[in-house]
């Protein structure tokens, strides 16, 4: 089954198909290790039954799975050559009578830049129909009437459009195709199928991922005494989900040499693979380590360290079009993106929350942007004024500030990272459940 055919399916159907494909691969690997198929099926059902499927439409769907059904799926999957397409419903309903030329024209207009609403395209076609213009597959309304109503005289005005609006909505392009035409490749990649990477077999120090994140907090700069955004750069050991190093700077202050030092601190803390290559992954399009540091690491380690940069989303959507503004490709580091979401939630109780976009920013915060004065009579302006007062009376007066200082946020951030590194009872991939502990040499007790 091609990626295009998989992309044509509904999102929840893709999620279900990819999940079943992943489960069948687990069964195949269990068989290869000598595990009885019946035992492997029972284990897979207890682990994956009831998994929530993200359909993108707000509806809650779960994966129904029984041992007999999974066994049937597994045999069907093997007969089909391990093709994920066997899990996509093949029912195609009644064939549409809409001319294919009109469908192609409808798709073309739906994928024009900025054409975000299908209703606008439908109204556009209706308007041209009433004006007597030639539509692909239909012709003018006079030609259509002469062909389909030869026994009736030609009316003085255009008849109703021969295809209902409901039909057009059913024929609209898939989400990925519309996003590609309306916005560009970066938006289309969010709707296209992607690979699910298995990190359970990674060895210690085999893959490190590095990326920056803008914290959703407004704080006071300890040096300028002005409100500022904060940016953190995080190092992430993918196999054990450990964060060995982190760096925080005010907005737009992060430099390549800061990232170089972060890499050195990371490798000093956890080291590199013994007998296997260590991979360092950065997102292209943001602040990354310098090329000089990359070449130094790879040559000094004699190939034991490899530095990788993700691709860029961009290019031309059709011949003659302007090139899309390139943006970093973030899907290669989903484990770190997931942690960043957890980090925002962990810091959500701190004062100065500005949200992940201007729509979620509290109205009384008054933050306009970096390098601009906050709005008058706002929380940010008050914090800046109090900071100036405290700077004058620093040894005599300790004012209660409405915002945290950047140094305070830095301490809280490091405490949140420490709690993450010490967390237990999670469900990260590759981690098992600890049921016993050794209290003395050779003495084990159950953990309640």
């Amino acid at each position: 089954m091609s990626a295009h055919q998989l992309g044509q399916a509904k999102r929840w159907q893709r999620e279900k198909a990819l999940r079943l494909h992943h489960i069948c691969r687990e069964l195949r690997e269990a068989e290869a290790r000598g595990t009885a198929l019946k035992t492997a099926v029972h284990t897979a059902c207890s682990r994956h039954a009831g998994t929530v499927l993200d359909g993108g439409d707000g509806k809650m769907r779960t994966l129904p799975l029984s041992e007999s059904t999974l066994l049937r799926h597994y045999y069907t999957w093997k007969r089909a050559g391990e093709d994920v397409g066997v899990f996509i419903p093949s029912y195609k309903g009644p064939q549409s009578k809409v001319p294919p030329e009109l469908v192609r024209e409808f798709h073309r207009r739906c994928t024009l830049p900025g054409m975000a609403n299908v209703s606008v395209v439908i109204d556009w076609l209706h308007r041209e129909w009433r004006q007597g213009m030639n539509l692909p597959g239909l012709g003018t309304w006079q030609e259509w009437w002469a062909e389909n109503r030869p026994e009736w005289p030609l009316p003085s005005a255009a008849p109703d459009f021969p295809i209902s609006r409901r039909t057009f909505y059913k024929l609209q392009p898939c989400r990925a195709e519309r996003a590609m035409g309306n916005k560009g490749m970066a938006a289309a990649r969010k709707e296209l199928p992607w690979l699910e990477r298995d990190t359970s077999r990674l060895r210690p120090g085999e893959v490190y991922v590095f990326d920056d994140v803008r914290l959703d907090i407004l704080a006071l700069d300890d040096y300028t005494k002005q409100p500022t955004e904060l940016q953190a750069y995080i190092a992430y050991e993918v196999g054990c989900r450990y964060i060995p190093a982190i760096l925080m700077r005010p907005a737009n202050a992060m430099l390549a040499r800061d990232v170089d030092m972060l890499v050195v601190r990371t490798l000093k803390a956890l080291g590199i693979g013994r007998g296997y290559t260590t991979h360092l992954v950065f997102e292209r399009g943001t602040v990354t380590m310098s090329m000089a540091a990359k070449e130094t690491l790879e040559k000094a380690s004699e190939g034991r360290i490899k530095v990788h940069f993700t691709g860029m989303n961009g290019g031309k959507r059709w011949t003659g079009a302007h090139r899309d503004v390139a943006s970093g490709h973030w899907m290669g580091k989903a484990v770190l993106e997931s942690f960043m979401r957890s980090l925002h939630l962990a810091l959500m109780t701190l004062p100065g929350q500005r949200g992940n976009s201007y729509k979620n920013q509290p109205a009384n915060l008054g933050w306009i942007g970096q390098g601009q004065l906050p709005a008058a009579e706002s929380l940010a302006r008050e914090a800046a004024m109090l900071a100036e007062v405290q700077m004058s009376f620093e040894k005599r007066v300790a004012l209660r500030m409405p915002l945290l200082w950047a140094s305070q946020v830095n301490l809280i951030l490091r405490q949140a990272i420490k709690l993450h590194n010490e967390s237990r009872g999670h469900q990260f991939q590759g981690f098992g459940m600890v049921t016993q502990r050794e209290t003395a040499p050779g003495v084990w007790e159950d953990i309640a």
Side-chain angles (χ1 to χ4, degrees):
M1 187 180 193
S2 66
H4 176 73
Q5 290 173 315
L6 187 62
Q8 291 291 331
K10 295 180 180 179
R11 182 169 174 177
W12 71 269
Q13 292 175 339
R14 295 202 308 266
E15 290 283 337
K16 180 180 178 181
L18 292 172
R19 177 63 60 181
L20 290 173
H21 180 69
H22 176 71
I23 295 172
C24 288
R25 290 181 60 184
E26 288 184 356
L27 295 179
R28 183 196 61 192
E29 294 172 0
E31 273 195 309
R33 293 192 300 267
T35 306
L37 181 58
K38 185 177 181 180
T39 303
V41 168
H42 176 74
T43 304
C45 284
S46 59
R47 181 187 304 172
H48 298 286
T51 303
V52 178
L53 302 175
D54 181 14
D57 53 3
K59 295 182 180 180
M60 183 65 68
R61 298 182 179 88
T62 57
L63 180 65
L65 204 61
S66 65
E67 295 185 22
S68 58
T69 302
L70 179 56
L71 198 60
R72 176 169 52 84
H73 283 324
Y74 180 61
Y75 288 134
T76 304
W77 176 75
K78 291 188 69 174
R79 285 196 299 269
E82 302 184 0
D83 182 12
V84 66
V86 297
F87 303 125
I88 296 293
S90 58
Y91 173 70
K92 294 184 176 179
Q95 296 300 313
S96 173
K97 296 182 180 179
V98 182
E101 299 84 2
L102 183 61
V103 174
R104 286 194 292 268
E105 176 64 14
F106 175 61
H107 283 197
R108 184 189 70 82
R109 298 190 186 192
C110 284
T111 53
L112 291 175
M115 190 62 68
N117 294 87
V118 178
S119 60
V120 175
V121 179
I122 299 175
D123 292 338
W124 187 1
L125 293 173
H126 283 206
R127 185 168 57 253
E128 291 188 356
W129 172 263
R130 292 192 300 270
Q131 293 172 354
M133 300 180 67
N134 189 4
L135 295 179
L138 293 179
T140 64
W141 68 265
Q142 294 90 344
E143 295 172 347
W144 178 88
W145 185 273
E147 182 179 351
N148 293 274
R149 305 286 190 272
E151 68 278 7
W152 296 91
L154 189 68
S156 58
D160 292 338
F161 201 81
I163 302 165
S164 68
R165 300 179 71 92
R166 182 188 296 270
T167 301
F168 275 118
Y169 278 112
K170 292 180 179 179
L171 293 173
Q172 63 180 301
C174 67
R175 296 167 65 96
E177 188 176 352
R178 288 184 57 197
M180 176 72 173
N182 299 159
K183 299 178 182 179
M185 178 55 73
R189 285 189 183 274
K190 298 179 182 179
E191 306 296 340
L192 290 170
W194 58 82
L195 292 176
E196 182 175 336
R197 296 185 173 182
D198 185 1
T199 60
S200 62
R201 298 185 179 181
L202 287 178
R203 293 162 288 189
E206 188 167 9
V207 177
Y208 293 100
V209 178
F210 301 82
D211 196 20
D212 63 336
V213 56
R214 190 210 70 174
L215 302 180
D216 296 341
I217 300 173
L218 196 66
L220 289 170
D221 193 305
D222 293 77
Y223 298 99
T224 65
K225 315 299 181 184
Q226 295 296 316
T228 180
E229 299 174 0
L230 299 174
Q231 183 182 21
Y233 217 103
I234 300 173
Y236 202 73
E237 206 284 337
V238 179
C240 64
R241 304 298 200 273
Y242 187 83
I243 299 178
I246 188 171
L247 180 67
M248 195 192 80
R249 289 281 187 270
N252 304 324
M254 193 76 67
L255 301 175
R257 65 169 177 264
D258 295 327
V259 183
D260 295 345
M261 292 305 301
L262 183 70
V263 173
V264 172
R265 211 173 303 150
T266 299
L267 298 180
K268 183 179 179 181
L270 296 184
I272 64 176
R274 185 174 183 177
Y276 51 89
T277 305
T278 292
H279 301 273
L280 310 182
V281 182
F282 295 86
E283 179 182 341
R284 196 186 303 272
T286 185
V287 181
T288 62
M289 70 183 304
S290 61
M291 291 297 106
K294 171 184 179 298
E295 295 177 3
T296 301
L297 273 179
E298 292 182 341
K299 291 181 179 179
S301 64
E302 298 180 350
R304 294 177 63 191
I305 298 178
K306 295 291 185 182
V307 181
H308 308 272
F309 298 94
T310 62
M312 296 287 287
N313 296 326
K316 294 184 178 181
R317 280 173 276 176
W318 60 83
T319 304
H322 291 286
R323 185 178 296 276
D324 290 345
V325 176
S327 60
H329 185 52
W330 50 269
M331 291 186 180
K333 48 183 182 56
V335 290
L336 183 52
E337 295 289 347
S338 177
F339 166 74
M340 290 176 180
R341 169 65 176 167
S342 301
L343 180 62
H344 290 314
L345 296 178
L347 303 179
M348 191 167 283
T349 57
L350 300 181
Q353 289 293 324
R354 53 157 299 178
N356 56 355
S357 71
Y358 73 95
K359 296 179 181 179
N360 297 329
Q361 176 175 300
N364 70 342
L365 187 61
W367 181 245
I368 300 175
Q370 198 72 27
Q372 303 182 42
L373 288 176
E377 298 183 3
S378 64
L379 188 66
R381 177 66 65 86
E382 178 188 352
M385 295 173 62
L386 289 176
E388 293 180 3
V389 173
Q390 183 164 330
M391 185 170 54
S392 303
F393 301 95
E394 187 172 358
K395 296 183 180 180
R396 290 182 290 168
V397 179
L399 299 177
R400 184 179 179 87
M401 308 298 292
L403 298 178
L404 295 175
W405 295 95
S407 57
Q408 293 175 315
V409 177
N410 188 28
L411 292 175
I412 297 172
L413 175 63
R414 295 182 181 280
Q415 183 63 27
I417 298 299
K418 182 180 178 182
L419 291 175
H420 165 80
N421 288 338
E422 296 175 351
S423 65
R424 298 293 183 270
H426 52 68
Q427 296 182 358
F428 293 148
Q429 190 178 52
F431 287 76
M433 180 65 68
V434 178
T435 59
Q436 291 183 329
R437 62 184 173 187
E438 189 176 16
T439 58
V443 178
W444 293 82
E445 66 176 19
D446 294 335
I447 298 177

